[in-house]
């Protein structure tokens, strides 16, 4: 089938089988390899992207649901201004080790930052925001520290991307 | 050296998602590979048939018959790349397939029938012990010291128990993946791996006598923890063989299910431990029978067992010992390297034996541990004196203070007596002392003869050449710090060479927490060789002076490449027959306190707080060292509480994250990390091992806390709700 969708602001038209995974379309057809596959079963969060402005596990989204969808990936976000702050906070707090989970955590971080006015985000809310992301290396503590730091800063993250 | 908390050199690219892992490489015109596996634990292969209803022209099939040197070169070379006549575990590779895409492979597999004649199998450690066959013994080690027999005869009391630990899966977030790219008579192998030279050696053996040459490049690796130490040699052989046969590039990428079912695991253990104890709580003798379930082939089991034996006395002064270790063959998928490497198993046993001694003598466990802890200058049962770089006493001091262990010990006791019933919660606090022998066991380093190389470039930059791989632990950044400190160069002037066996010398594998201590020291020596050549040794110089000296040097010379080979200091000797001498050149130490709560309805153990102090000689990168410690502790908590690999009838039942539970962000305790730096004279700036130690001490601290909470010895990990329920409800629980 032929599918028209928008990826990182660009309209694309692709040929795919109905059950092809969004993850493979991004990585193999569109060469957007920033999004990773850790499990392929919706459990690890390494493949997290925005679809129609909501976080999804791209390994669970079949091509047939992609008509006119608006997909935004880490590859389309790294050049935004706010991304600098995320990079800095992750770097300074030592939140990265092997890095395979990191793009997924960054996506969840972006989502948290745009949905939260700093007042009501405590450690519980942070933990909820990353409930779908698994990291085997860091023990999470330094990721939480990076996110806490970001929440205290006045970072403007758009409500929607490329719309 | 000043304190460094340097940002990792690879952080930005990983955060932005532009770092390239193996699956991100775009390999042109590649075929995908798949594996046809045994469905029997032990059987003779009678026949393999290919259904005529399938178009086999679309698939390349490779079988054992086509492999001349059909063994994965490692310790004993007993594991084939593909089984030919006999299979020894469920999941053992029998055929390799290659095709244009995954769909064809899945279809092709359905059209292959393998007929077996089943043979007797030992699918559990117990079954292997019961059948008691000499050929199932992969390795046996006996370490004796003093007069164990007499000590036990004369002891005031003897305390004993059987301790068991389970399988553990690494769950590196990036599953196994390797590629082979043919290029004339050369095959380039690239992949996610710890040890490019292990793979290189295995490929040299595989293609011995043929015209094929192989070179191996490690690609940025998404976690490994030992799981990419020995295993990649097998699958690199698979892709290399297929590449040779098809003349095409080959990609072999395991999905999570295949990875969890068929790759190596941590060795389960069953340890019968006995202490001869005086009435005031002194441990006079230790007798241990260590059994490791090794799976179907030897892999690294002999060295895993060696470390288990040499860790068995923990951090204690025990004059009389008899430690008897066996690595035993079973018909399950082979066990292999995993962070801690035999240490976690025997350290769990000795720490829980201490719990039992305490309980038997009705003395608080910390009193027992304190009374038996090594003093500086004491000798281990191997005869090795602990007379340098012994930071354990300082670790103990720090952790007792940060955790307020002694105060909480009393508080929690009262709480459990008075309030727990009402609250539905039991509280526990536990303490562990842990040790990790740094680098290879015995004189392994002298055998490896690691070489590091450094090249001065004509613009005054230096090129660092080692085979030590970045898998998340931060080795590239640590090396830059070590070199930058010595040469006064900024990071950008220090270039880390690609980990490609045709470009870097064999500085040994990235294992055993050796990269910083052993290879980092070689790099420091390389720096001195360069400074010598530039006549900058023993003088103060700026980075500008260095640049100028380099330019001047290249006015007269064409190149400057320096090499250094590692050798232990002379007094470090080890006898592999008696297990006497220096088991390790030095040890890293930790003291750990865990606080747990056990919910009396769900029986779930929750680790609420974790305090640890680690003596690592010198933390080259403070922040990353903390990160290693935190990550290792969380993995250790997983080992203690969550990670239950279920093996039924010789087959792994788990399929992924859904049914193999590892700690998530919701499961982590509040953590307090202290670092102690009791320098090692032969490490770079005093550094010794770090990577594995955090793992080793975690589970015993948690199990100690659980024992406190339920008033019974937690003899078996993982402490899943089922185990806890049985412990609480059954007065004489037998495992
Ligand atoms: S790869 Fe999609 S959730 Fe793990
Ligand atoms: S940094 Fe390796 S999995 Fe998170």
């Amino acid at each position: 089938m032929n599918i028209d969708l928008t990826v990182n602001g660009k309209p694309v038209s692709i040929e795919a089988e109905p059950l092809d995974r969004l993850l493979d379309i991004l990585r193999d057809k569109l060469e957007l390899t920033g999004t990773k596959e850790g499990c392929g079963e919706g459990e690890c969060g390494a493949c997290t992207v925005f679809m129609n402005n909501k976080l999804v596990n791209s390994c669970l989204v079949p091509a047939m649901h992609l008509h006119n969808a608006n997909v935004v990936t880490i590859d389309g976000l790294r050049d935004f201004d706010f991304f600098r702050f995320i990079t800095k906070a992750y770097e300074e707090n030592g939140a990265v080790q092997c890095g395979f989970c990191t793009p997924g955590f960054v996506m969840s971080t972006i989502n948290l930052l745009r949905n939260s006015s700093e007042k009501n985000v405590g450690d519980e809310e942070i933990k909820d925001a990353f409930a779908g992301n698994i990291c085997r290396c860091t023990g999470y503590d330094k990721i939480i520290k990076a996110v806490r730091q970001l929440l205290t800063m006045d970072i403007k993250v758009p409500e929607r991307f490329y719309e | 050296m000043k304190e460094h908390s340097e940002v990792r050199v690879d952080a930005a690219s990983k955060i932005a998602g532009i770092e390239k892992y193996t699956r991100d490489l775009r390999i042109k015109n590649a075929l995908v590979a798949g594996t046809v596996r045994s469905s029997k634990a032990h059987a003779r292969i009678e026949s393999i048939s290919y259904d005529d209803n399938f178009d086999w022209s679309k698939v390349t099939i490779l079988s054992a018959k086509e492999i001349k040197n059909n063994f994965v070169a490692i310790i004993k070379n007993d594991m084939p790349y593909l089984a030919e006549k006999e299979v020894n575990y469920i999941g053992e590779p029998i055929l390799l397939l290659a095709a244009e895409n995954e769909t064809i492979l899945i279809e092709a597999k359905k059209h292959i029938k393998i007929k077996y004649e089943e043979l007797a199998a030992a699918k559990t450690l117990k079954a292997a012990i019961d059948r008691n066959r000499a050929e199932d013994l992969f390795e046996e080690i006996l370490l004796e010291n003093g007069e164990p027999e007499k000590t036990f005869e004369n002891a005031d009391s003897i305390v004993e128990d059987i301790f068991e630990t389970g399988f553990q899966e690494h769950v590196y977030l990036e599953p196994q993946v390797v590629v082979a790219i043919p290029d004339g008579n050369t095959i380039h192998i690239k992949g996610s791996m710890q040890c490019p030279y292990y793979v290189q050696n295995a490929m040299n053996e595989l293609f011995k006598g043929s015209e094929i040459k192989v070179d191996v490049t490690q690609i940025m690796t998404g976690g490994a923890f030992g799981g990419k130490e020995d295993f990649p040699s097998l699958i690199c052989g698979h892709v290399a063989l297929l590449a040779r046969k098809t003349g095409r590039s080959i990609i072999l990428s395991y999905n999570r299910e295949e990875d969890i079912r068929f790759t190596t695991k941590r060795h389960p253990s069953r340890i019968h431990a006995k202490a001869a104890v005086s009435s005031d709580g002194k441990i006079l003798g230790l007798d241990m029978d260590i059994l490791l379930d090794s799976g179907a082939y030897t892999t690294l089991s002999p060295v895993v067992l060696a470390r288990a034996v040499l860790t068995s006395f923990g951090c204690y002064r025990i004059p009389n010992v008899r430690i008897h270790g066996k690595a035993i063959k079973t018909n399950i998928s082979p066990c292999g390297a995993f962070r801690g490497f035999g240490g976690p198993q025997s350290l769990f046993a000795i720490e829980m034996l201490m719990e039992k001694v305490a309980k038997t003598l009705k003395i608080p466990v910390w009193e027992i541990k304190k009374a038996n802890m090594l003093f500086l200058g004491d000798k281990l049962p191997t005869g090795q004196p602990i007379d340098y770089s012994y930071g354990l006493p300082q670790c103990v001091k720090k952790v007792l203070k940060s955790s307020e262990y002694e105060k909480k010990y009393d508080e929690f006791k009262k709480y459990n007596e008075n309030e727990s019933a009402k609250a539905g919660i039991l509280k526990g606090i536990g303490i562990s002392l842990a040790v990790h022998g740094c680098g290879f066991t015995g004189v392994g380093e002298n055998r490896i003869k690691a070489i590091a190389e450094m090249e001065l470039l004509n613009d005054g930059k230096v090129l660092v050449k080692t085979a030590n791989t970045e898998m998340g632990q931060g080795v590239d950044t640590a090396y830059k710090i070590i070199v930058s400190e010595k040469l006064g160069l900024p990071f950008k002037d220090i270039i880390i060479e690609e980990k490609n066996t045709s470009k870097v010398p064999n500085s040994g594998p990235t294992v055993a927490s050796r990269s910083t201590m052993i290879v980092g020291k070689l790099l420091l020596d390389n720096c001195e060789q360069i400074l010598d050549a530039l006549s900058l040794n023993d003088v103060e110089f700026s980075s500008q002076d260095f640049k100028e000296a380099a330019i001047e040097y290249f006015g007269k010379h064409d190149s400057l490449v320096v090499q250094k080979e590692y050798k232990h200091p002379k007094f470090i000797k080890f006898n592999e027959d008696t297990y006497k001498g220096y088991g390790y050149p030095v040890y890293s130490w930790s003291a750990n306190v865990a606080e747990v709560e056990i919910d009396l309805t769900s029986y779930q153990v929750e680790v609420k707080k974790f305090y640890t102090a680690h003596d690592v000689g010198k933390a080259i990168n403070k922040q990353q060292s903390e990160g290693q410690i935190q990550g290792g502790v969380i993995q250790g908590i997983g080992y203690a509480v969550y990670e239950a690999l279920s093996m039924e009838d010789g087959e792994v039942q788990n399929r992924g994250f859904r049914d193999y539970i590892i700690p998530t962000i919701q499961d982590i305790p509040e953590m307090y990390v202290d670092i102690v730096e009791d320098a090692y004279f032969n490490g770079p700036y005093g550094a010794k091992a770090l990577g594995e130690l955090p793992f080793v001490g975690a589970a015993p601290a948690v199990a100690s806390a659980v024992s406190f909470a339920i008033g019974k010895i937690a003899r078996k990990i993982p402490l899943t709700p089922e185990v806890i329920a049985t412990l609480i409800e059954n007065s004489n629980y037998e495992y």
Side-chain angles (χ1 to χ4, degrees), chain B residues 536 538-542 545:
Chain B
L536 286 174
D538 306 319
V539 293
E540 290 268 319
F541 62 90
S542 67
D545 299 337

Short mmCIF file of all heavy atoms in Angstrom, two decimals, chain B residues 536 538-542 545:
data_model
loop_
_atom_site.label_atom_id
_atom_site.label_comp_id
_atom_site.label_asym_id
_atom_site.label_seq_id
_atom_site.Cartn_x
_atom_site.Cartn_y
_atom_site.Cartn_z
N LEU B 536 61.11 16.25 27.13
CA LEU B 536 60.26 17.04 28.03
C LEU B 536 60.07 16.37 29.38
O LEU B 536 59.37 16.90 30.25
CB LEU B 536 58.88 17.27 27.39
CG LEU B 536 58.81 18.28 26.25
CD1 LEU B 536 57.43 18.29 25.63
CD2 LEU B 536 59.18 19.68 26.72
N ASP B 538 60.62 15.31 33.07
CA ASP B 538 61.20 16.00 34.23
C ASP B 538 61.31 17.50 34.06
O ASP B 538 62.11 18.13 34.74
CB ASP B 538 62.59 15.43 34.57
CG ASP B 538 62.53 13.92 34.76
OD1 ASP B 538 61.55 13.45 35.37
OD2 ASP B 538 63.46 13.23 34.28
N VAL B 539 60.60 18.08 33.14
CA VAL B 539 60.56 19.56 33.09
C VAL B 539 59.11 20.02 33.09
O VAL B 539 58.21 19.29 32.72
CB VAL B 539 61.28 20.13 31.83
CG1 VAL B 539 62.77 19.86 31.88
CG2 VAL B 539 60.67 19.58 30.55
N GLU B 540 58.92 21.25 33.53
CA GLU B 540 57.60 21.85 33.44
C GLU B 540 57.38 22.28 31.99
O GLU B 540 58.27 22.87 31.38
CB GLU B 540 57.54 23.11 34.32
CG GLU B 540 57.58 22.83 35.80
CD GLU B 540 56.17 22.69 36.37
OE1 GLU B 540 55.30 23.48 35.96
OE2 GLU B 540 55.95 21.77 37.18
N PHE B 541 56.21 21.97 31.44
CA PHE B 541 55.97 22.45 30.07
C PHE B 541 54.49 22.77 29.89
O PHE B 541 53.64 22.23 30.59
CB PHE B 541 56.43 21.41 29.04
CG PHE B 541 55.69 20.10 29.12
CD1 PHE B 541 54.53 19.90 28.38
CD2 PHE B 541 56.16 19.06 29.94
CE1 PHE B 541 53.84 18.70 28.47
CE2 PHE B 541 55.47 17.87 30.04
CZ PHE B 541 54.31 17.68 29.30
N SER B 542 54.24 23.68 28.95
CA SER B 542 52.85 24.03 28.64
C SER B 542 52.43 23.27 27.39
O SER B 542 53.26 22.65 26.73
CB SER B 542 52.74 25.53 28.38
OG SER B 542 53.45 25.83 27.18
N ASP B 545 54.49 24.50 24.63
CA ASP B 545 55.83 23.89 24.60
C ASP B 545 55.77 22.51 23.94
O ASP B 545 56.64 22.13 23.16
CB ASP B 545 56.40 23.69 26.02
CG ASP B 545 56.56 25.02 26.76
OD1 ASP B 545 56.66 26.05 26.06
OD2 ASP B 545 56.56 25.01 28.00
#
